[in-house]
Amino acid sequence: MNTDNLELASNRKRALAYVIDDFLVTFIIIVMFWDKIVVNGTDLVSVLAVMNAFIWQVLLLKFIYQTFFIWYYGATVGKIIAKVRVIDFNNFGRVSLLTSATRSVFRLFSEMFFYFGFIFAFFTESRQTLHDKVGRTLVVNA
């Protein structure tokens, strides 16, 4: 791999990727639980109530989505659209399955606790979030 042209992804691109991924996962969840949503009502509060009732399934879906795409492709759908990818901090290569899973778990914790771990990206030279630091990953332009 040629590491001469590696450039850290901007926080703006990372935020765009996050929003795209969040919309995609939310859409998948709505499709999966549509029958339960319709019974409770299709307004936002009802959708959120169904998501909360199935929180473990939602968290599992997010974990699998993040872990698989980062491991297999080096990027989620949102990251592919934003033209960024996740690489190993130590060798600038592909992320292992274990690293991807670790990163995904800490990303979920960051989401659950007011996105606390995401704030790290604004205060570290390498723009690493908490889940990047723990997973030993970097997000670079593709």
Side-chain angles (χ1 to χ4, degrees):
M1 168 188 261
N2 182 7
T3 59
D4 295 338
N5 296 329
L6 284 181
E7 182 181 340
L8 291 172
S10 69
N11 288 331
R12 184 181 193 141
K13 279 186 168 186
R14 293 184 72 170
L16 173 64
Y18 177 87
V19 169
I20 292 168
D21 287 332
D22 214 34
F23 275 120
L24 178 60
V25 170
T26 301
F27 177 76
I28 292 168
I29 290 165
I30 288 171
V31 168
M32 286 173 55
F33 297 109
W34 184 250
D35 57 330
K36 290 158 185 63
I37 291 169
V38 170
V39 170
N40 290 326
T42 57
D43 60 294
L44 180 61
V45 174
S46 298
V47 172
L48 292 174
V50 169
M51 287 178 70
N52 284 336
F54 294 97
I55 192 69
W56 292 110
Q57 292 89 333
V58 170
L59 292 174
L60 181 62
L61 176 66
K62 285 183 166 201
F63 171 78
I64 291 169
Y65 174 80
Q66 287 292 326
T67 299
F68 173 76
F69 276 94
I70 296 299
W71 167 68
Y72 195 79
Y73 295 106
T76 58
V77 172
K79 284 178 175 48
I80 291 168
I81 293 170
K83 296 186 175 157
V84 298
R85 63 190 169 104
V86 178
I87 61 172
D88 187 274
F89 182 85
N90 296 319
N91 62 21
F92 303 124
R94 188 173 170 192
V95 175
S96 72
L97 182 58
L98 180 61
T99 296
S100 182
T102 302
R103 184 180 187 276
S104 295
V105 166
F106 279 87
R107 186 178 186 279
L108 286 172
F109 282 129
S110 289
E111 285 183 19
M112 289 189 295
F113 295 103
F114 308 105
Y115 300 92
F116 173 75
F118 289 86
I119 295 169
F120 282 55
F122 295 101
F123 300 104
T124 59
E125 188 177 330
S126 57
R127 295 189 190 129
Q128 288 177 294
T129 58
L130 178 62
H131 50 278
D132 288 322
K133 287 226 174 260
V134 173
R136 308 279 301 150
T137 60
L138 289 171
V139 180
V140 297
N141 289 327

